[in-house]
Amino acid sequence: MSVALKNVRLALGDRVVLDTVDASIPVGRVTAVVGPNGAGKSTLLRACAGLLSPVHGEIALGDRPIKELTRPEIARAIAYLPQERAVHWPLAARAVVALGRLPHDDADPAAITRALAAMDIAPLADRPISQLSGGERARVLVARALAQEAPLLITDEPTAGLDPAHALALFSLFRRLATEGRTIVVALHDLSLAARFADHILLLANQRVAAHGPPADVLTPRYLERAFSVTMLCTTVGEMPIVVPVSTLP
Amino acid sequence: MSRREHIIPGLSALTLVLALASLAIGPTGTGLGGGDQAWLILTEIRLPRTLLGLLVGAALGLSGAALQGYLRNPLAEPGIIGISGGAALGAVLAIHTGLAASFAIGLPLGGLFGAAGAMAVVLWLAGERGGPITLILSGVAIASLTTALIALVLTLSQNPFATVEIVYWLMGSLSDRSMTHVWLAAPPILIGLAMLARLGRDLDALTLGEEVAANLGTSLPRLRLLVVTGTALAVGAATAVSGTIGFVGLIVPHILRPLVGHVPSRLLPASALGGAALVLAADLALRIVSPGGGIRLGVLTALIGTPFFVWLVVSTRRELAP
């Protein structure tokens, strides 16, 4: 399911966070949203998930404006994983993952088992979430979003707190889901991960979309240095693209 | 898992046994045996008391569980959103003005109006788009205000009998209630219970925070309206007929939560049954320990509740300790 933003302005209270956003998020691709702190990555994700209405402009999901969709329709179309990892009651990991099935009115144990297996947490399924480590808890919450089995998956910094093995596994999973036709949107700070796994980059800076397109076109010193105020080393090791911040610009 | 599956049947059986005991035990002796007088005692005295115990207990237990789930705070209880305070103030005013003495249902009617008024003010103060914090803040403000106004009514009261009646009523009791009280309180309590009992799905979703709950299809403004209205109907009507019975709405969900795997939706029916069982048990204990009516129901639940609250604080402190 594609997302199209037309001349969108987003604000938190009376502070305009993003303005004149024109962008489209393609179907069956991994789109990485990158940019410095405060550039509006999370705000953009929340708007795409239908949790924040634009001040003006329009966001469309497929061929329908998102504001015309009912709550249950949005819940079945979009799985949203925020950066905040609150779990207010010490539920068992499996019970947390099962919450992803609420929009479907069927518990579908197979979907829950698939999500647990995909995030490598099946052995922890019966443990209370309060007894899990930060990384394990993060994986349980990703599994909740996976269990929703929505055509559009929006995740905010899903690799924060994950060890390298699980971060790589998660992005490989995103790639596989994309080839199955699902649309993945992920806000990221790790530019190398974005360069390596994303098909499409949305670079945000100074309340605007600074650049968008394939990683090879956007993740270049020209755009990145202006957006982040940092000199960047953009290179490849073998086939693998690497983006490393070098030093802050004056 | 087996323990979790047995919790609802177990609590149902416990509640049933306590309800039968409540019908069978009283100062005139036990047994349901024959005679017109025994039948009269059963239908006119013990039946309303038992039914009110069931209704009031279920109202307190279920609304406590719903509020704790909505506010995501194990220390929440129906009193925190000002509804019981409003009901108590309405009832106290009914006694003070003589309304309660002039016709039989004046007192509970005053309580119902008080609860409705408190609900309206709390919802208005908390605002349409406010979250749990604004609800707690406005609830606490209304609760303090009603406490102050009740104190004011007590000090201004020139009739010592009315003062004694107010003080006794505030302590909470199920004695000397008739079927009229049951008919008055049952509809709002049952409607409130039905509203709260259907919130399980949304309260489950809220476990992961408001944004995820919204993503899972929950309307947060609708949820809050249902939590407050359901609590106002159930607890407002319960307080209007029984006075203030504290701590049931706090303790019952807290004790039962681990037994249902901490899942908010499973906690709702369990807390309704648990609340009914606790109020029936406390009322029965009073009839046996203090048949003369020296100890009031609200006093007993507070006497049990306070040590529990202390234990809660100590165990929370232990959990938070490094």
Side-chain angles (χ1 to χ4, degrees), chain A residues 171-225:
Chain A
F171 270 89
S172 305
L173 173 69
F174 285 167
R175 287 240 52 90
R176 203 184 74 222
L177 293 174
T179 56
E180 288 169 6
R182 294 218 243 165
T183 307
I184 316 286
V185 184
V186 48
L188 263 188
H189 274 294
D190 187 328
L191 298 171
S192 292
L193 268 184
R196 188 170 160 197
F197 287 99
D199 305 293
H200 189 78
I201 305 282
L202 213 55
L203 173 64
L204 306 181
N206 305 316
Q207 303 180 312
R208 297 286 192 279
V209 176
H212 63 101
D217 295 349
V218 177
L219 298 177
T220 58
R222 181 174 148 237
Y223 287 121
L224 294 178
E225 290 180 359

Side-chain angles (χ1 to χ4, degrees), chain B residues 39 43 59 68 93 125 128 176 208 212 214 251 254:
Chain B
W39 179 250
T43 55
Q68 291 181 8
L93 282 172
L125 261 183
E128 220 169 275
D176 307 324
L208 299 180
V212 175
I251 301 174
H254 212 81

Side-chain angles (χ1 to χ4, degrees), chain A residues 64 66-76:
Chain A
R64 290 173 67 192
I66 202 165
K67 63 181 180 217
E68 285 178 12
L69 272 72
T70 64
R71 276 175 192 287
E73 280 174 338
I74 292 181
R76 283 190 291 270

Side-chain angles (χ1 to χ4, degrees), chain B residues 52 55 180-193 233 237 241:
Chain B
L52 283 178
L55 288 168
T180 313
H181 288 93
V182 177
W183 292 126
L184 187 71
I189 290 182
L190 290 174
I191 294 170
L193 290 177
L233 285 167
V241 289

Side-chain angles (χ1 to χ4, degrees), chain B residues 130-153:
Chain B
I133 300 293
T134 57
L135 182 65
I136 293 181
L137 287 175
S138 17
V140 168
I142 295 306
S144 319
L145 181 68
T146 52
T147 309
L149 289 175
I150 289 170
L152 187 67
V153 171

Side-chain angles (χ1 to χ4, degrees), chain B residues 15 48-64 78 84 169 171-175 177 181-182 184-186 188-190 193 196 231 233-249 252 271-280 282-283 297-298 301:
Chain B
T15 309
R49 191 165 180 165
T50 304
L51 289 175
L52 283 178
L54 283 167
L55 288 168
V56 168
L60 294 172
L62 180 58
S63 59
S84 11
W169 187 85
M171 292 175 185
S173 173
L174 294 175
S175 60
R177 304 298 195 265
H181 288 93
V182 177
L184 187 71
I189 290 182
L190 290 174
L193 290 177
L196 295 173
T231 302
L233 285 167
V235 176
T239 310
V241 289
S242 70
T244 318
I245 299 175
F247 283 106
V248 174
V252 167
S271 295
L273 289 167
L278 179 60
V279 169
L280 284 174
D283 186 48
L297 184 57
T301 57

Side-chain angles (χ1 to χ4, degrees), chain B residues 85-101:
Chain B
L89 178 64
V92 165
L93 282 172
I95 298 172
H96 177 70
T97 56
L99 192 72

Side-chain angles (χ1 to χ4, degrees), chain A residues 46 49 51 71-72 74-76 78-82 84 86-92 95-96 99-105 141 144 148, chain B residues 4 68-69 71-74 201-212 214-221 257 261-264 266:
Chain A
R46 291 175 60 223
L51 297 169
R71 276 175 192 287
I74 292 181
R76 283 190 291 270
I78 306 171
Y80 168 69
L81 183 69
E84 182 206 5
V87 182
H88 293 281
W89 304 110
L91 302 189
V96 172
L99 295 175
R101 297 307 297 170
L102 285 176
H104 298 277
D105 300 319
L141 293 176
R144 185 283 299 171
Q148 217 165 326
Chain B
R4 283 178 202 169
Q68 291 181 8
L71 300 172
R72 286 156 283 153
N73 188 330
R201 177 203 182 281
D202 290 336
L203 295 178
D204 281 354
L206 209 50
T207 301
L208 299 180
E210 297 188 8
E211 295 224 298
V212 175
N215 174 239
L216 292 171
T218 294
S219 161
L220 296 167
R257 183 170 289 115
H262 299 265
V263 178
R266 291 200 206 133

